[in-house]
Amino acid sequence: MSVYWGFHLRMRDLKPVLLLEDDSVDAMTVKRALKDLDVKNPLVNVFNGEQALEYLQNSDNAEPCVILLDLNMPKMNGIEFLKIAKSDPRLKCVPVVALTTSKTDKDKLECFDNGVAGYIVKPVDYNGFLDAMKILNLYWTLSESSCNLVEKQDVEPQKTVCS
Amino acid sequence: MRNLRSILLVEDDNVDAMTVKRAFGELKIVNELVRAVNGEAALNYLRGHLNEKPCVILLDLNMPKMNGIEFLRVMKVDDELRQIPVVVLTTSKDDRDKMKSFKSHVAGYIVKPADYRVFVEAIKIFDSYWTLSELPDSVPEDTALELQKTDCTGTGS
């Protein structure tokens, strides 16, 4: 797991963005786009669904404001992760947006059936990708999120993600 | 929007519904805006087999008869409706409303800006996002077939 710092996305409360992406080049592209957009939220990159669940279930970690989900990953793929996350009473509140190269109707339907909050097919060229991330940032800055509404814990992201 | 299907607005207040309509017009959003006045009316519309399924639902929370949260709890467990993204559009900033909404898998929660210009900006961002995002175009196959058979109006996909 790697943690990147230094962005200025005002997606609610500067909570981290959790990126599930097994491909390090693709993860770098997301990191670069957020940096180019001057987004401040930290980006936490995990490489499959299993690691994401580990991250989310550890109460020392800050709850993300949004989860960006690749679908094709080893071990536990995106849809398997989505099904587990969306049936967990605590995790189901965190919006999950699919960010994938898959355009199949089956993947789209399965994601929306399981409570995804957006499905973005990754534009191949970087400028297109940057535009997509810009819109994503604007939307999740406009939208409230359920972050810090979990009654029992009031996590402090700056402290916990840094460690 | 990503496709040209309608947008269902669930809103009991006439003035608020007009404001949404006006913003759509100003932003030249061509998707038809269909309005239901409460959750029950929305469910009736969505379950009417002659009605085209909307691409997105904009949902107010405080409504008589069946409010937004009650509506969500019903439609998000209905296999034929649950895949439609629902975005809450409300004046409520209540944390419990947000929490209940996200627990029912809403795809966004927009607190209505009081100022009209800011409201138009919000709808613009909403439109950009749901143009960028794919939508669950295909209803389950057997339903799609049934729709084609029964829809005589020519508005079906």
Side-chain angles (χ1 to χ4, degrees), chain B:
Chain B
M1 297 292 137
R2 185 90 197 169
N3 61 37
L4 287 176
R5 278 185 289 154
S6 59
I7 294 164
L8 177 62
L9 171 69
V10 193
E11 170 65 78
D12 62 317
D13 186 286
N14 287 338
V15 175
D16 285 349
M18 281 304 290
T19 309
V20 176
K21 198 173 176 187
R22 193 173 145 208
F24 270 51
E26 200 166 311
L27 294 165
K28 299 189 169 54
I29 299 173
V30 292
N31 304 64
E32 186 192 358
L33 191 65
V34 176
R35 181 186 166 205
V37 292
N38 59 51
E40 197 181 275
L43 279 179
N44 287 339
Y45 176 82
L46 291 167
R47 286 172 175 164
H49 278 268
L50 289 177
N51 296 327
E52 181 192 45
K53 295 272 190 293
C55 61
V56 177
I57 297 172
L58 274 173
L59 179 69
D60 184 25
L61 293 185
N62 298 315
M63 292 176 295
K65 272 201 172 178
M66 181 188 269
N67 69 31
I69 301 289
E70 289 161 344
F71 166 78
L72 277 169
R73 285 181 182 154
V74 176
M75 70 86 64
K76 285 295 178 187
V77 294
D78 183 320
D79 285 343
E80 286 189 22
L81 303 179
R82 59 185 298 166
Q83 64 278 8
I84 305 170
V86 180
V87 178
V88 171
L89 183 65
T90 178
T91 50
S92 167
K93 293 178 185 171
D94 188 330
D95 279 353
R96 282 166 304 178
D97 280 340
K98 290 179 204 167
M99 177 102 148
K100 284 179 197 160
S101 298
F102 278 103
K103 275 199 167 167
S104 288
H105 301 168
V106 293
Y109 187 110
I110 302 173
V111 176
K112 278 183 216 168
D115 177 87
Y116 178 69
R117 294 316 323 165
V118 185
F119 181 76
V120 172
E121 278 307 304
I123 295 295
K124 190 176 173 185
I125 293 170
F126 160 82
D127 179 44
S128 304
Y129 184 77
W130 292 107
T131 301
L132 168 69
S133 174
E134 304 284 322
L135 288 160
D137 285 325
S138 47
V139 283
E141 291 196 354
D142 47 341
T143 319
L145 283 175
E146 200 179 316
L147 271 176
Q148 278 185 346
K149 268 187 223 153
T150 53
D151 187 347
C152 306
T153 61
T155 54
S157 55

Side-chain angles (χ1 to χ4, degrees), chain A residues 7-15 17 34 37-42 65-66 134 136-145:
Chain A
F7 312 120
H8 152 65
L9 171 127
R10 299 199 334 273
M11 293 201 239
R12 300 279 155 178
D13 307 327
L14 288 183
K15 300 266 180 180
V17 174
L34 294 184
L37 292 168
D38 204 16
V39 164
K40 281 222 174 90
N41 302 56
C65 59
V66 69
K134 191 175 172 185
L136 179 100
N137 176 27
L138 283 171
Y139 185 77
W140 291 107
T141 300
L142 167 70
S143 173
E144 306 283 322
S145 80

